[in-house]
Amino acid sequence: MRALILVMDSVGIGAAPDASLYGDEGAETVGHVARTCVLGQADSNQREGPLRIPNLVDLGLGEACRLATGRVPPGLDGANISPQQFGCASELSKGKDTPSGHWEIAGVPVPFDWGYFPRTIPCFPSKIIERLCKEAALPGVIGNRHASGTEIIDSLGERHMRSSEPICYTSADSVFQIAAHEETFGLERLYDVCAVARRLLDPLNIGRVIARPFVGSSKGGFRRTAHRRDFSVPPPEPTILDACEVDGRDIVSIGKIDDIFAHRGTGRNGRGDSNDALFNCTLDGLNSLADGGLLFANFIDFDTLYGHRRDVAGYAAALEAFDARLPELMARLKSDDLLVITADHGCDPTWSGTDHTREQVPILLRSSAQTSPIGKRVGFSDIGATVAAHLKLAPLRHGVPF
């Protein structure tokens, strides 16, 4: 008897009830990707035809979309899907960011507002930058604005390599990102700078400091690497991971889960530089997961490579690639295992801007013990509560088991 939580990062299924407060009323990541593919409006050089994700459909993704929006996206109709198998949830936490979504999935809604940086140039407080340069022995920083990571690295990468000034930027999330060249600046030095920034930004309640290493030699040839590291604040309360650790359970975390939870209760971690590599790590982790254990995985490509870059064709291809590998996972599950597939927020690639979108998320289950319909849930914490009940752990403070 084991439990798995797979987070398809940013795979939202329709605007949350409070989406208008975020400028996201009408956002619908999965639905808009599916409709764009059917209409042939996705880049024809990258794909042709409708979205094909039969395994997710069989798990109830289309019906979860119906719960969230009142309609099933084109091509996602499925027959004889049990209501015990699918549902949807809207977030209680105020942010539409990665830590808030994951913490709430793990049973801890975020009760406070994160700190954010203004859309000015420069956007970071001068005293923070002065202290960062002094304490991290930097000649200065460049960027200092809201930006797309790939674009600002392409624009300022050559200057950074000449001057050793790291590229600092932010987004609509509560985040301070530092990009530096792995070879000319050094990976460990970048991590050290981020650790200093993490300490300096704690009083501002900034959720994450992210190291964004890259390689390449000139504009147009820079590429971010898989050595990203998030320096996050820890969750304010015990999560399902903490509950498992306290009870001596086996824990496997995949991808950036260990960073998101500030390496608290995250057990053995598997890393990969793509969704495909992360799926391999998930299979390996499942093979070694002891009875009573928890595997918690994040699949990041949907969000980072395609959602933020507003690449509909790429997003569709990523969904299809993930779907194609699900049978491998299903074949390795034991009869009493619980599998939950969900998401942490949306990032509609048809939406304006490059930020996350405030959306409901799917809840897709594979469980022989499931007996009652999941339906529409208020809060993601019901997922953590269900996992705790399945693993026969003490109930979490938040959430109601399905």
Side-chain angles (χ1 to χ4, degrees):
M1 182 177 66
R2 304 169 297 178
L4 296 81
I5 304 173
L6 307 189
V7 180
M8 302 184 294
D9 201 308
S10 87
V11 182
I13 57 172
D18 59 358
S20 61
L21 300 177
Y22 300 79
D24 294 330
E25 191 171 22
E28 188 185 344
T29 299
V30 170
H32 285 159
V33 169
R35 280 188 281 281
T36 301
C37 290
V38 165
L39 294 172
Q41 295 172 341
D43 187 343
S44 60
N45 293 323
Q46 297 183 52
R47 71 166 292 114
E48 292 181 1
L51 182 65
R52 300 179 181 88
I53 47 174
N55 297 300
L56 286 168
V57 168
D58 286 347
L59 284 170
L61 180 59
E63 293 305 314
C65 291
R66 189 198 303 273
L67 272 180
T69 66
R71 58 186 177 274
V72 177
L76 271 62
D77 288 290
N80 301 318
I81 298 170
S82 168
Q84 285 89 348
Q85 193 172 325
F86 65 87
C88 65
S90 53
E91 190 171 4
L92 289 175
S93 304
K94 296 180 180 179
K96 53 178 180 177
D97 55 274
T98 294
S100 296
H102 281 76
W103 291 0
E104 192 164 320
I105 288 168
V108 180
V110 180
F112 52 80
D113 286 320
W114 295 108
Y116 298 93
F117 296 110
R119 289 188 175 273
T120 57
I121 301 176
C123 69
F124 302 126
S126 59
K127 290 183 178 180
I128 294 292
I129 296 301
E130 289 168 8
R131 289 186 62 187
L132 178 64
C133 291
K134 180 179 180 179
E135 297 184 29
L138 299 173
V141 304
I142 53 179
N144 204 337
R145 58 185 171 87
H146 283 248
S148 157
T150 52
E151 291 175 2
I152 200 168
I153 289 171
D154 196 51
S155 173
L156 298 178
E158 292 180 355
R159 176 179 168 183
H160 157 72
M161 293 174 69
R162 293 192 301 268
S163 69
S164 288
E165 298 169 295
I167 304 167
C168 297
Y169 61 102
T170 187
S171 70
D173 286 351
S174 179
V175 64
F176 185 95
Q177 306 196 66
I178 306 178
H181 199 281
E182 279 198 11
E183 296 160 357
T184 64
F185 190 86
L187 189 59
E188 292 304 320
R189 185 185 179 197
L190 172 58
Y191 293 158
D192 290 342
V193 172
C194 288
V196 173
R198 172 69 277 167
R199 174 170 48 80
L200 295 176
L201 292 167
D202 279 346
L204 301 184
N205 205 28
I206 301 302
R208 288 180 293 167
V209 173
I210 303 180
R212 290 287 196 177
F214 65 94
V215 294
S217 58
S218 61
K219 184 178 176 65
F222 295 121
R223 175 181 58 83
R224 294 193 297 195
T225 74
H227 296 138
R228 161 184 170 161
R229 182 177 295 178
D230 293 28
F231 295 73
S232 303
V233 297
E237 298 177 36
T239 69
I240 185 65
L241 291 164
D242 296 308
C244 285
E245 184 176 58
V246 167
D247 207 56
R249 303 301 181 90
D250 193 24
I251 304 168
V252 174
S253 58
I254 303 297
K256 63 179 184 177
I257 293 296
D258 60 345
D259 284 345
I260 293 169
F261 290 88
H263 304 266
R264 198 178 79 190
T266 51
R268 306 188 305 280
N269 179 250
R271 290 274 181 170
D273 60 0
S274 66
N275 274 1
D276 197 51
L278 292 168
F279 213 105
N280 290 337
C281 291
T282 298
L283 296 178
D284 291 340
L286 180 58
N287 287 341
S288 66
L289 188 65
D291 187 55
L294 170 65
L295 185 148
F296 201 161
N298 171 278
F299 293 87
I300 194 173
D301 285 0
F302 305 110
D303 184 61
T304 301
L305 297 184
Y306 309 113
H308 286 299
R309 299 184 190 184
R310 298 306 189 239
D311 180 353
V312 179
Y315 208 114
L319 283 169
E320 291 172 337
F322 179 85
D323 183 88
R325 299 211 60 182
L326 282 175
E328 296 176 65
L329 179 67
M330 297 296 188
R332 301 186 190 205
L333 293 176
K334 299 176 182 178
S335 61
D336 58 355
D337 286 341
L338 169 67
L339 169 66
V340 184
I341 300 178
T342 187
D344 53 343
H345 49 70
C347 199
D348 189 339
T350 71
W351 210 242
S352 59
T354 60
D355 299 329
H356 294 153
T357 43
R358 179 76 167 183
E359 294 187 49
Q360 299 171 76
V361 302
I363 302 172
L364 310 179
L365 257 63
R366 185 276 199 187
S367 171
S368 59
Q370 177 65 20
T371 57
S372 59
I374 300 172
K376 298 187 71 169
R377 296 275 166 163
V378 178
F380 300 170
S381 293
D382 291 357
I383 295 172
T386 299
V387 171
H390 174 77
L391 294 178
K392 295 180 170 53
L393 295 166
L396 303 179
R397 180 179 175 187
H398 305 279
V400 178
F402 308 145

